[in-house]
Amino acid sequence: MLQFQPPGFGQRAVAVSLGTLAYYKPIGALWRSDDTAQHFSPLIFLHSLGGGSSAYEWSKVYPAFAADYNVIAPDLIGWGQSTHPPCDYRITDYLKMLAEILEQLAPSPATVVASSLTAGLTIRLAIQRPELFRSLFLVSPSGYADFGEDYGRGIAAQLAGSPFLDRLLYSLGAANLVAVRSFLEQVLFADATRLTNETVDAYLASALQRNAEYAALASLKGNLCFDLSLFMSRLSVPTMMVWGEQSRFGSPAIGRRLASLNLKVVRRFEEIPNVGVLPHLELPAVVAGLLQAHLNEVQQSA
C-alpha cells in the first residue's frame, strides 16, 4: 500500500501480538530525519474497519501535520499491508493491538485521530489506559450498538455470519472493482464527484489482500458491536468529535447524544455539511483545519 502514500512518507513495521503491523511515517529530506521526529509530539491516525480500509483513509490529512508532529499511520492487523491472520477478530484483539501501537510507537502521550468503530474502540482504550493519550480527535465514533440500536442483530450481520455465504458476500460485495466503487459512491461519500480513481484503487488493493475477508467479516457480522453510550461518562481524555451531516452509519443526532453524556471532556462537536462517513476523504482540507484547531486548543489548555 506504499504506492498510495503521499510523497515523503515511507513504510515501517513493528511486531505486535497478532503479527507484523505496517505503518507509515514521514521520512527523508522532504520532512526531517527519523531522529528529529522523536522529539515531536506523536499524532497517530487510525483507520475505520470497513472492507478495503487502510491507512490510506487519512492520507489526505496527515501530510499537513508532518512538519510539526511525529505522524504515524498504521494499517491495523488484518488490513492494508499488515499481517492478515485467519482468525475471528474480537473487541479484545483490537484493544490489545491499539495499546501495543501506542506503547511501541508513541514515546509520549499521543493525540489519536480515529474514525467510526475504531474511534469507539479508542474511547474504550482511553478509559482503560488514559496515560497513553494526550487527546482524541474522533470522526463519527460508534460502537454500532449505541443506545440499544444493535447492528449485530440485523439481517446484514446475520447473513455475514453464515458459513460459506460470508465468503461469497465478501467476494461479491467488497473484493471487486465494481463493488468497491459502488460502495464508496453510494454509501460512504455524500458527493460521488469527490471520489477519485486513486481512492477506489487503494480500497480495492486492501480488500484483495490474502485473508482480508477475516477482519472485514468480523465487523460485518457484528463481532465488534457494543453500546458506546455505556462508556462515555468514564472518558477523561480531552476530545473533539466531528460528524458528516449525511453519515449513513450513525447520524449526527446520535453523535450529539453521545457527546452530551460527557460535555466536560467532549469539548467540541462539529457537523460538516454535505459529507458522508468519510469527511477526511471527501473534504480533507476542512478536517485538517478542524484537527489543527483541536491541537491548538489542547496546547493552550496544557
Side-chain angles (χ1 to χ4, degrees), residues 195-248:
L195 179 63
T196 65
N197 289 334
E198 180 194 75
T199 297
V200 175
D201 291 344
Y203 271 75
L204 181 61
S206 181
L208 290 176
Q209 297 293 310
R210 186 171 181 267
N211 291 332
E213 69 271 18
Y214 286 91
L217 287 170
S219 298
L220 285 172
K221 64 187 179 182
N223 280 8
L224 309 177
C225 291
F226 63 94
D227 188 343
L228 182 57
S229 69
L230 302 178
F231 294 86
M232 285 300 301
S233 65
R234 294 158 53 195
L235 181 65
S236 60
V237 176
T239 298
M240 178 175 178
M241 288 187 183
V242 173
W243 227 275
E245 177 191 41
Q246 298 184 36
S247 171
R248 293 175 181 266

Short mmCIF file of all heavy atoms in Angstrom, two decimals, residues 195-248:
data_model
loop_
_atom_site.label_atom_id
_atom_site.label_comp_id
_atom_site.label_asym_id
_atom_site.label_seq_id
_atom_site.Cartn_x
_atom_site.Cartn_y
_atom_site.Cartn_z
N LEU A 195 -15.09 11.51 -5.34
CA LEU A 195 -14.40 10.23 -5.31
C LEU A 195 -13.40 10.15 -6.46
O LEU A 195 -13.76 10.37 -7.62
CB LEU A 195 -15.40 9.08 -5.40
CG LEU A 195 -14.82 7.67 -5.40
CD1 LEU A 195 -14.11 7.37 -4.10
CD2 LEU A 195 -15.94 6.64 -5.65
N THR A 196 -12.16 9.81 -6.15
CA THR A 196 -11.12 9.70 -7.18
C THR A 196 -10.84 8.24 -7.51
O THR A 196 -11.10 7.34 -6.70
CB THR A 196 -9.82 10.36 -6.72
OG1 THR A 196 -9.29 9.62 -5.61
CG2 THR A 196 -10.06 11.81 -6.30
N ASN A 197 -10.26 8.03 -8.68
CA ASN A 197 -9.85 6.67 -9.05
C ASN A 197 -8.79 6.14 -8.10
O ASN A 197 -8.75 4.93 -7.81
CB ASN A 197 -9.31 6.67 -10.49
CG ASN A 197 -10.41 6.86 -11.52
OD1 ASN A 197 -11.58 6.55 -11.28
ND2 ASN A 197 -10.04 7.39 -12.67
N GLU A 198 -7.93 7.02 -7.61
CA GLU A 198 -6.91 6.60 -6.65
C GLU A 198 -7.54 6.01 -5.39
O GLU A 198 -7.10 4.97 -4.89
CB GLU A 198 -6.03 7.79 -6.26
CG GLU A 198 -4.94 7.42 -5.26
CD GLU A 198 -4.31 8.64 -4.63
OE1 GLU A 198 -4.95 9.27 -3.75
OE2 GLU A 198 -3.17 8.94 -5.01
N THR A 199 -8.60 6.65 -4.88
CA THR A 199 -9.27 6.15 -3.69
C THR A 199 -9.88 4.77 -3.95
O THR A 199 -9.75 3.85 -3.14
CB THR A 199 -10.35 7.13 -3.22
OG1 THR A 199 -9.73 8.37 -2.85
CG2 THR A 199 -11.12 6.58 -2.03
N VAL A 200 -10.53 4.61 -5.08
CA VAL A 200 -11.10 3.31 -5.44
C VAL A 200 -10.00 2.26 -5.52
O VAL A 200 -10.12 1.16 -4.97
CB VAL A 200 -11.86 3.39 -6.78
CG1 VAL A 200 -12.33 2.01 -7.22
CG2 VAL A 200 -13.03 4.35 -6.67
N ASP A 201 -8.89 2.59 -6.16
CA ASP A 201 -7.79 1.64 -6.31
C ASP A 201 -7.19 1.26 -4.96
O ASP A 201 -6.83 0.09 -4.73
CB ASP A 201 -6.71 2.23 -7.21
CG ASP A 201 -7.14 2.35 -8.66
OD1 ASP A 201 -8.15 1.71 -9.05
OD2 ASP A 201 -6.48 3.10 -9.42
N ALA A 202 -7.06 2.23 -4.06
CA ALA A 202 -6.48 1.96 -2.74
C ALA A 202 -7.38 1.04 -1.93
O ALA A 202 -6.91 0.10 -1.28
CB ALA A 202 -6.24 3.27 -1.99
N TYR A 203 -8.68 1.28 -1.97
CA TYR A 203 -9.61 0.41 -1.24
C TYR A 203 -9.63 -0.99 -1.84
O TYR A 203 -9.68 -1.99 -1.11
CB TYR A 203 -11.01 1.04 -1.24
CG TYR A 203 -11.23 1.95 -0.06
CD1 TYR A 203 -10.65 3.22 -0.02
CD2 TYR A 203 -12.00 1.56 1.02
CE1 TYR A 203 -10.82 4.06 1.06
CE2 TYR A 203 -12.18 2.39 2.12
CZ TYR A 203 -11.59 3.64 2.13
OH TYR A 203 -11.75 4.46 3.22
N LEU A 204 -9.60 -1.08 -3.15
CA LEU A 204 -9.60 -2.39 -3.79
C LEU A 204 -8.32 -3.16 -3.46
O LEU A 204 -8.37 -4.37 -3.16
CB LEU A 204 -9.75 -2.23 -5.30
CG LEU A 204 -9.80 -3.55 -6.11
CD1 LEU A 204 -10.99 -4.40 -5.68
CD2 LEU A 204 -9.85 -3.25 -7.60
N ALA A 205 -7.18 -2.48 -3.50
CA ALA A 205 -5.92 -3.15 -3.20
C ALA A 205 -5.92 -3.73 -1.78
O ALA A 205 -5.42 -4.84 -1.55
CB ALA A 205 -4.75 -2.17 -3.36
N SER A 206 -6.49 -3.00 -0.83
CA SER A 206 -6.57 -3.51 0.54
C SER A 206 -7.54 -4.68 0.64
O SER A 206 -7.26 -5.69 1.28
CB SER A 206 -7.00 -2.39 1.49
OG SER A 206 -7.05 -2.85 2.82
N ALA A 207 -8.68 -4.56 -0.04
CA ALA A 207 -9.70 -5.62 0.02
C ALA A 207 -9.23 -6.92 -0.61
O ALA A 207 -9.72 -8.00 -0.25
CB ALA A 207 -10.97 -5.14 -0.67
N LEU A 208 -8.26 -6.84 -1.54
CA LEU A 208 -7.79 -8.03 -2.25
C LEU A 208 -6.59 -8.70 -1.59
O LEU A 208 -6.09 -9.71 -2.09
CB LEU A 208 -7.43 -7.67 -3.70
CG LEU A 208 -8.60 -7.31 -4.62
CD1 LEU A 208 -8.09 -6.88 -5.99
CD2 LEU A 208 -9.58 -8.48 -4.74
N GLN A 209 -6.13 -8.17 -0.46
CA GLN A 209 -5.02 -8.82 0.24
C GLN A 209 -5.44 -10.22 0.72
O GLN A 209 -6.61 -10.45 1.07
CB GLN A 209 -4.60 -7.98 1.45
CG GLN A 209 -4.05 -6.61 1.12
CD GLN A 209 -2.72 -6.66 0.38
OE1 GLN A 209 -1.79 -7.33 0.79
NE2 GLN A 209 -2.65 -5.94 -0.73
N ARG A 210 -4.52 -11.14 0.71
CA ARG A 210 -4.82 -12.51 1.14
C ARG A 210 -5.35 -12.52 2.58
O ARG A 210 -4.76 -11.92 3.46
CB ARG A 210 -3.57 -13.38 1.02
CG ARG A 210 -3.81 -14.86 1.30
CD ARG A 210 -2.58 -15.67 0.94
NE ARG A 210 -2.78 -17.09 1.18
CZ ARG A 210 -2.46 -17.70 2.31
NH1 ARG A 210 -1.89 -17.01 3.30
NH2 ARG A 210 -2.67 -18.99 2.47
N ASN A 211 -6.46 -13.19 2.79
CA ASN A 211 -7.13 -13.31 4.10
C ASN A 211 -7.74 -12.00 4.59
O ASN A 211 -8.10 -11.87 5.78
CB ASN A 211 -6.19 -13.86 5.18
CG ASN A 211 -5.82 -15.31 4.95
OD1 ASN A 211 -6.60 -16.07 4.34
ND2 ASN A 211 -4.65 -15.72 5.40
N ALA A 212 -7.92 -11.02 3.70
CA ALA A 212 -8.51 -9.75 4.10
C ALA A 212 -9.95 -9.91 4.56
O ALA A 212 -10.47 -9.08 5.32
CB ALA A 212 -8.46 -8.75 2.95
N GLU A 213 -10.61 -10.97 4.12
CA GLU A 213 -12.02 -11.15 4.47
C GLU A 213 -12.24 -11.39 5.96
O GLU A 213 -13.31 -11.08 6.49
CB GLU A 213 -12.64 -12.29 3.67
CG GLU A 213 -12.14 -13.69 4.01
CD GLU A 213 -10.92 -14.11 3.21
OE1 GLU A 213 -10.26 -13.21 2.64
OE2 GLU A 213 -10.63 -15.32 3.16
N TYR A 214 -11.24 -11.91 6.67
CA TYR A 214 -11.45 -12.25 8.08
C TYR A 214 -11.74 -11.01 8.93
O TYR A 214 -12.68 -10.99 9.72
CB TYR A 214 -10.24 -13.02 8.63
CG TYR A 214 -10.17 -14.43 8.14
CD1 TYR A 214 -9.46 -14.76 6.99
CD2 TYR A 214 -10.83 -15.46 8.82
CE1 TYR A 214 -9.40 -16.08 6.53
CE2 TYR A 214 -10.78 -16.77 8.38
CZ TYR A 214 -10.07 -17.07 7.22
OH TYR A 214 -10.02 -18.37 6.77
N ALA A 215 -10.91 -9.98 8.80
CA ALA A 215 -11.13 -8.77 9.58
C ALA A 215 -12.41 -8.05 9.14
O ALA A 215 -13.17 -7.56 9.98
CB ALA A 215 -9.93 -7.83 9.44
N ALA A 216 -12.64 -8.01 7.82
CA ALA A 216 -13.83 -7.32 7.33
C ALA A 216 -15.11 -8.02 7.79
O ALA A 216 -16.07 -7.36 8.21
CB ALA A 216 -13.79 -7.24 5.80
N LEU A 217 -15.13 -9.34 7.73
CA LEU A 217 -16.33 -10.08 8.12
C LEU A 217 -16.57 -10.00 9.62
O LEU A 217 -17.72 -10.05 10.07
CB LEU A 217 -16.22 -11.54 7.67
CG LEU A 217 -16.38 -11.75 6.16
CD1 LEU A 217 -16.01 -13.18 5.78
CD2 LEU A 217 -17.80 -11.43 5.70
N ALA A 218 -15.52 -9.89 10.41
CA ALA A 218 -15.70 -9.73 11.85
C ALA A 218 -16.52 -8.49 12.15
O ALA A 218 -17.38 -8.48 13.04
CB ALA A 218 -14.35 -9.65 12.55
N SER A 219 -16.27 -7.41 11.38
CA SER A 219 -17.07 -6.19 11.54
C SER A 219 -18.47 -6.39 11.00
O SER A 219 -19.46 -6.03 11.66
CB SER A 219 -16.40 -5.02 10.80
OG SER A 219 -15.13 -4.74 11.33
N LEU A 220 -18.57 -6.99 9.82
CA LEU A 220 -19.88 -7.15 9.17
C LEU A 220 -20.83 -8.01 9.97
O LEU A 220 -22.04 -7.77 9.99
CB LEU A 220 -19.70 -7.73 7.77
CG LEU A 220 -19.15 -6.79 6.70
CD1 LEU A 220 -18.85 -7.55 5.42
CD2 LEU A 220 -20.16 -5.67 6.42
N LYS A 221 -20.32 -9.05 10.61
CA LYS A 221 -21.22 -9.95 11.33
C LYS A 221 -21.45 -9.55 12.79
O LYS A 221 -22.14 -10.25 13.53
CB LYS A 221 -20.74 -11.39 11.24
CG LYS A 221 -19.41 -11.69 11.88
CD LYS A 221 -18.99 -13.13 11.55
CE LYS A 221 -17.66 -13.51 12.15
NZ LYS A 221 -17.27 -14.88 11.78
N GLY A 222 -20.89 -8.42 13.19
CA GLY A 222 -21.22 -7.86 14.50
C GLY A 222 -20.35 -8.31 15.65
O GLY A 222 -20.70 -8.05 16.81
N ASN A 223 -19.20 -8.93 15.36
CA ASN A 223 -18.31 -9.36 16.44
C ASN A 223 -17.85 -8.21 17.33
O ASN A 223 -17.54 -8.40 18.50
CB ASN A 223 -17.05 -10.01 15.86
CG ASN A 223 -17.25 -11.44 15.42
OD1 ASN A 223 -18.37 -11.93 15.41
ND2 ASN A 223 -16.18 -12.10 15.04
N LEU A 224 -17.80 -7.02 16.76
CA LEU A 224 -17.18 -5.89 17.45
C LEU A 224 -18.19 -4.89 17.98
O LEU A 224 -17.82 -3.81 18.44
CB LEU A 224 -16.21 -5.19 16.49
CG LEU A 224 -15.19 -6.10 15.80
CD1 LEU A 224 -14.34 -5.30 14.81
CD2 LEU A 224 -14.30 -6.81 16.80
N CYS A 225 -19.46 -5.22 17.92
CA CYS A 225 -20.50 -4.28 18.35
C CYS A 225 -20.54 -4.12 19.87
O CYS A 225 -20.39 -5.10 20.62
CB CYS A 225 -21.87 -4.74 17.86
SG CYS A 225 -22.09 -4.62 16.08
N PHE A 226 -20.79 -2.91 20.31
CA PHE A 226 -21.00 -2.62 21.72
C PHE A 226 -21.73 -1.30 21.82
O PHE A 226 -21.78 -0.53 20.84
CB PHE A 226 -19.68 -2.58 22.50
CG PHE A 226 -18.75 -1.49 22.05
CD1 PHE A 226 -18.73 -0.26 22.69
CD2 PHE A 226 -17.88 -1.69 20.99
CE1 PHE A 226 -17.88 0.75 22.27
CE2 PHE A 226 -17.02 -0.69 20.57
CZ PHE A 226 -17.02 0.53 21.20
N ASP A 227 -22.29 -1.01 22.97
CA ASP A 227 -23.03 0.23 23.17
C ASP A 227 -22.08 1.29 23.73
O ASP A 227 -21.75 1.28 24.92
CB ASP A 227 -24.20 -0.01 24.13
CG ASP A 227 -25.13 1.20 24.23
OD1 ASP A 227 -24.72 2.30 23.84
OD2 ASP A 227 -26.27 1.03 24.71
N LEU A 228 -21.63 2.17 22.86
CA LEU A 228 -20.66 3.20 23.28
C LEU A 228 -21.23 4.13 24.34
O LEU A 228 -20.49 4.68 25.16
CB LEU A 228 -20.21 3.99 22.04
CG LEU A 228 -19.17 5.09 22.25
CD1 LEU A 228 -17.91 4.53 22.89
CD2 LEU A 228 -18.84 5.77 20.92
N SER A 229 -22.55 4.31 24.35
CA SER A 229 -23.16 5.22 25.33
C SER A 229 -22.91 4.77 26.76
O SER A 229 -22.94 5.59 27.68
CB SER A 229 -24.66 5.35 25.06
OG SER A 229 -25.34 4.15 25.37
N LEU A 230 -22.66 3.48 26.96
CA LEU A 230 -22.42 2.96 28.30
C LEU A 230 -21.02 3.30 28.82
O LEU A 230 -20.73 3.14 30.00
CB LEU A 230 -22.61 1.44 28.33
CG LEU A 230 -23.99 0.93 27.89
CD1 LEU A 230 -24.03 -0.59 27.92
CD2 LEU A 230 -25.08 1.52 28.78
N PHE A 231 -20.16 3.78 27.93
CA PHE A 231 -18.77 4.07 28.30
C PHE A 231 -18.45 5.56 28.37
O PHE A 231 -17.47 5.95 29.01
CB PHE A 231 -17.82 3.41 27.29
CG PHE A 231 -17.86 1.91 27.30
CD1 PHE A 231 -18.80 1.24 26.53
CD2 PHE A 231 -16.98 1.17 28.07
CE1 PHE A 231 -18.85 -0.15 26.53
CE2 PHE A 231 -17.02 -0.22 28.08
CZ PHE A 231 -17.96 -0.88 27.31
N MET A 232 -19.26 6.39 27.72
CA MET A 232 -18.89 7.78 27.53
C MET A 232 -18.62 8.54 28.82
O MET A 232 -17.71 9.37 28.89
CB MET A 232 -19.97 8.50 26.72
CG MET A 232 -19.98 8.17 25.24
SD MET A 232 -18.42 8.58 24.41
CE MET A 232 -18.30 10.34 24.73
N SER A 233 -19.39 8.29 29.85
CA SER A 233 -19.25 9.06 31.09
C SER A 233 -17.91 8.81 31.78
O SER A 233 -17.49 9.60 32.63
CB SER A 233 -20.40 8.74 32.05
OG SER A 233 -20.33 7.39 32.46
N ARG A 234 -17.23 7.72 31.42
CA ARG A 234 -15.96 7.35 32.08
C ARG A 234 -14.74 7.91 31.34
O ARG A 234 -13.63 7.78 31.82
CB ARG A 234 -15.86 5.84 32.20
CG ARG A 234 -16.91 5.24 33.14
CD ARG A 234 -17.15 3.77 32.86
NE ARG A 234 -15.93 3.00 32.86
CZ ARG A 234 -15.84 1.76 32.36
NH1 ARG A 234 -16.91 1.18 31.83
NH2 ARG A 234 -14.69 1.11 32.40
N LEU A 235 -14.95 8.52 30.19
CA LEU A 235 -13.83 9.06 29.42
C LEU A 235 -13.29 10.31 30.10
O LEU A 235 -14.05 11.19 30.50
CB LEU A 235 -14.31 9.39 28.00
CG LEU A 235 -13.26 9.96 27.03
CD1 LEU A 235 -12.17 8.92 26.75
CD2 LEU A 235 -13.92 10.40 25.73
N SER A 236 -11.96 10.41 30.21
CA SER A 236 -11.34 11.57 30.86
C SER A 236 -10.36 12.30 29.95
O SER A 236 -9.79 13.32 30.36
CB SER A 236 -10.61 11.12 32.13
OG SER A 236 -9.59 10.18 31.84
N VAL A 237 -10.14 11.81 28.74
CA VAL A 237 -9.17 12.41 27.81
C VAL A 237 -9.86 13.49 26.98
O VAL A 237 -10.93 13.25 26.42
CB VAL A 237 -8.59 11.31 26.88
CG1 VAL A 237 -7.66 11.93 25.85
CG2 VAL A 237 -7.87 10.25 27.70
N PRO A 238 -9.30 14.70 26.88
CA PRO A 238 -9.91 15.77 26.09
C PRO A 238 -10.21 15.32 24.66
O PRO A 238 -9.35 14.75 23.99
CB PRO A 238 -8.84 16.87 26.10
CG PRO A 238 -8.05 16.61 27.34
CD PRO A 238 -8.03 15.12 27.51
N THR A 239 -11.44 15.59 24.22
CA THR A 239 -11.93 15.00 22.96
C THR A 239 -12.67 16.02 22.12
O THR A 239 -13.41 16.86 22.64
CB THR A 239 -12.89 13.83 23.29
OG1 THR A 239 -12.16 12.81 23.98
CG2 THR A 239 -13.48 13.22 22.02
N MET A 240 -12.47 15.93 20.80
CA MET A 240 -13.29 16.64 19.84
C MET A 240 -13.94 15.61 18.93
O MET A 240 -13.32 14.64 18.51
CB MET A 240 -12.46 17.61 19.00
CG MET A 240 -13.27 18.36 17.95
SD MET A 240 -12.29 19.61 17.09
CE MET A 240 -13.49 20.24 15.92
N MET A 241 -15.23 15.80 18.63
CA MET A 241 -15.96 14.92 17.72
C MET A 241 -16.36 15.68 16.46
O MET A 241 -16.78 16.84 16.53
CB MET A 241 -17.22 14.37 18.38
CG MET A 241 -16.99 13.33 19.44
SD MET A 241 -18.58 12.62 19.99
CE MET A 241 -18.00 11.51 21.29
N VAL A 242 -16.21 15.00 15.33
CA VAL A 242 -16.60 15.56 14.04
C VAL A 242 -17.52 14.56 13.35
O VAL A 242 -17.28 13.35 13.40
CB VAL A 242 -15.36 15.82 13.16
CG1 VAL A 242 -15.77 16.23 11.75
CG2 VAL A 242 -14.48 16.88 13.79
N TRP A 243 -18.57 15.07 12.73
CA TRP A 243 -19.55 14.19 12.10
C TRP A 243 -19.91 14.71 10.71
O TRP A 243 -20.07 15.91 10.51
CB TRP A 243 -20.82 14.14 12.93
CG TRP A 243 -21.34 12.74 13.15
CD1 TRP A 243 -22.14 12.01 12.31
CD2 TRP A 243 -21.09 11.91 14.28
NE1 TRP A 243 -22.40 10.78 12.85
CE2 TRP A 243 -21.77 10.69 14.06
CE3 TRP A 243 -20.37 12.07 15.46
CZ2 TRP A 243 -21.75 9.63 14.98
CZ3 TRP A 243 -20.34 11.03 16.37
CH2 TRP A 243 -21.03 9.84 16.12
N GLY A 244 -20.02 13.81 9.76
CA GLY A 244 -20.54 14.16 8.46
C GLY A 244 -22.05 14.28 8.50
O GLY A 244 -22.74 13.40 9.03
N GLU A 245 -22.57 15.37 7.97
CA GLU A 245 -24.01 15.62 8.04
C GLU A 245 -24.82 14.48 7.45
O GLU A 245 -25.90 14.14 7.94
CB GLU A 245 -24.33 16.91 7.28
CG GLU A 245 -25.82 17.26 7.21
CD GLU A 245 -26.08 18.39 6.24
OE1 GLU A 245 -25.47 18.41 5.15
OE2 GLU A 245 -26.91 19.25 6.57
N GLN A 246 -24.31 13.83 6.40
CA GLN A 246 -25.05 12.78 5.72
C GLN A 246 -24.47 11.39 5.99
O GLN A 246 -24.61 10.48 5.17
CB GLN A 246 -25.08 13.06 4.22
CG GLN A 246 -25.81 14.36 3.88
CD GLN A 246 -25.93 14.60 2.39
OE1 GLN A 246 -26.12 13.67 1.61
NE2 GLN A 246 -25.84 15.85 1.99
N SER A 247 -23.85 11.21 7.13
CA SER A 247 -23.31 9.91 7.50
C SER A 247 -24.42 8.85 7.55
O SER A 247 -25.46 9.06 8.18
CB SER A 247 -22.64 9.99 8.87
OG SER A 247 -22.30 8.70 9.33
N ARG A 248 -24.19 7.73 6.90
CA ARG A 248 -25.17 6.64 6.88
C ARG A 248 -24.96 5.66 8.02
O ARG A 248 -25.78 4.77 8.24
CB ARG A 248 -25.11 5.90 5.55
CG ARG A 248 -25.56 6.74 4.35
CD ARG A 248 -25.36 5.98 3.06
NE ARG A 248 -25.76 6.76 1.90
CZ ARG A 248 -26.96 6.70 1.33
NH1 ARG A 248 -27.87 5.88 1.82
NH2 ARG A 248 -27.24 7.44 0.28
#
